[in-house]
């Protein structure tokens, strides 16, 4: 007993020192870095206590001592959690996607609409039971708002994301507007259709003026319907995707959506070499051309026609093909960014508004018929709006 009382006094002596050490260690970082300190400090404390005869006790006493030491060891503390983005923003792709574009009537109750939109995850959970879902049947979804609608429901943004109509020598980029936009991804299209049904069914009666639901798909392991590989320059790892797509401090993301209709009379009859010059990449393997025109798509997006030109801006592309053989088909373009500056730079360059008056040659094989910007609030913002 006397020995145990001596050990208790030892721990009382060690506790203040450990607390100071914990504060010093945590000041150097949190998360995974902080976790790595725990075994180091615990091991050092155990060794120090051993010098005072801790290990003279029976195994039971040793176990009690170790548990006491573990309770004193520094534990990772996350003082400030980074804002969380919605599930659709930087996550990887699925086999299918839903794009649900909604325009409201002028007399719609925007607050009631917002309450439905902000409960998106509850509708997702109705489609796929969260207790049994796996990567094969999960639905990753997010909701964005047009600038006028977001302002009406009390939302605040740090950056202006109004979309201006643009006109170039090879075609227009119309500003189509819109109030609410849902983006969802799943390996099963029927689940996306079911989700769209639930969302439309739960919209306040008489609030929707018009809506369009588009269902896209993976084509030939990630190719556009033109035959070119899509999204070659997309950020690959999770950290890079978050940095590009998520606004620091809010968890929000600025999003462009555009509906492109392809001209298959050109795609099916033009020479590969000609179209490769328009794109700036080879068609079979998406290798960048070492010599390309300043009007090629690659040159327009990067800001110059040098080989492997350093990119001024990036986005996380979630674009996928859509359509039917007997009707219209093309690419539904969607990109997430931490700032609308990224988006403005790229689409200005496509229509010749980027300072040099040159348009993007890719518009020789596809036509933009619809487009706008949205803001996808971070999850904490979304909760407040609900």
């Amino acid at each position: 007993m006397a020995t145990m009382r001596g050990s208790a006094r030892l721990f009382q002596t060690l506790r203040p020192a450990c607390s100071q050490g914990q504060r010093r260690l945590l000041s150097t970082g949190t998360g995974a870095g902080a976790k790595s300190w725990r075994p180091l400090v615990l091991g050092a404390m155990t060794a120090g206590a051993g010098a005072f005869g801790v290990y003279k006790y029976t195994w039971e006493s040793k176990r009690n001592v170790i548990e006491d030491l573990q309770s004193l060891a520094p534990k990772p503390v996350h003082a400030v959690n980074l804002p969380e983005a919605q599930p659709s923003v930087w996550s990887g792709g699925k086999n299918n996607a839903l794009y649900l574009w909604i325009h409201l009537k002028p007399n719609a109750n925007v607050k009631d609409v917002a309450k439905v939109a902000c409960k998106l995850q509850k509708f997702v959970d109705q489609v796929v039971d969260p207790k049994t879902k796996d990567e094969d049947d999960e639905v990753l979804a997010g909701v964005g708002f047009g600038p006028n609608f977001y302002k009406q429901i009390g939302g605040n943004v740090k950056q202006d994301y109004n979309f201006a109509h643009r006109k170039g020598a090879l075609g227009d980029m119309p500003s189509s507007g819109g109030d609410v936009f849902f983006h969802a991804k799943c390996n099963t299209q029927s689940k996306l259709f079911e989700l769209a049904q639930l969302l439309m069914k739960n919209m306040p009666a008489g609030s929707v003026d018009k809506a369009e639901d588009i269902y896209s798909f993976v084509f030939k392991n990630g190719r556009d319907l033109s035959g070119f590989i899509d999204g070659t320059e997309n950020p690959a790892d999770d950290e890079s995707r978050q940095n590009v797509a998520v606004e620091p401090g809010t968890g929000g993301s600025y999003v462009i959506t555009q509906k492109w209709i392809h001209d298959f009379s050109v795609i099916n009859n033009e020479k590969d070499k000609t179209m490769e010059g328009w794109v700036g990449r080879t068609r079979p393997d998406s290798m960048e051309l070492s010599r390309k025109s300043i009007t090629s798509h690659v040159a327009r997006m990067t800001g110059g026609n040098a080989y492997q030109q350093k990119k001024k801006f990036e986005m996380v592309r979630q674009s996928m093909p859509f359509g039917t053989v007997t009707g219209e088909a093309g690419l539904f373009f969607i990109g997430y960014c931490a700032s609308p500056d990224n988006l403005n730079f790229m689409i200005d360059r496509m229509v010749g508004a980027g300072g040099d008056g040159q348009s993007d040659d890719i518009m020789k094989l596809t036509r933009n018929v619809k487009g706008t910007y949205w803001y996808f609030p971070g999850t904490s913002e979304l909760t407040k709006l609900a």
Side-chain angles (χ1 to χ4, degrees), residues 266-307:
V266 174
I267 292 171
N268 295 331
N269 296 299
E270 190 58 76
K271 294 180 180 179
D272 276 5
K273 186 174 182 180
T274 299
M275 287 194 293
E276 287 175 346
W278 294 345
V279 174
R281 291 185 179 278
T282 57
R283 201 177 190 187
D285 52 14
S286 200
M287 296 295 293
E288 181 181 344
L289 302 181
S290 58
R291 299 182 65 181
K292 53 189 168 294
S293 168
I294 193 63
T295 59
S296 68
H297 183 60
V298 171
R300 303 315 296 167
M301 294 301 93
T302 58
N305 63 338
Y307 181 61

Side-chain angles (χ1 to χ4, degrees), residues 110-131:
V110 294
K111 296 288 186 181
D112 288 347
V113 172
K115 288 178 181 179
V116 174
C118 293
K119 293 178 182 177
L120 171 60
Q121 190 57 46
K122 291 186 178 181
F123 297 119
V124 170
D125 292 343
Q126 288 183 45
V127 175
V128 181
D129 188 339
K131 296 180 182 179

Side-chain angles (χ1 to χ4, degrees), residues 100-104 144-150 152 161 163 175-181 210 257 370-375:
L100 178 55
W101 197 316
I102 298 175
H103 294 255
L104 300 175
F145 305 108
N148 292 334
F149 178 85
Y150 198 56
Q152 288 177 329
Y161 66 106
F163 185 94
S175 177
S176 308
D179 297 294
V180 183
F181 181 85
K210 58 182 179 179
T257 57
K370 190 175 183 178
T372 197
Y373 288 159
W374 312 89
Y375 178 67

Side-chain angles (χ1 to χ4, degrees), residues 336-355:
Y336 289 83
C337 293
S339 170
D341 291 344
N342 302 34
L343 306 173
N344 286 327
F345 172 82
M346 295 180 191
I347 60 175
D348 280 348
R349 294 269 301 171
M350 290 190 74
V351 295

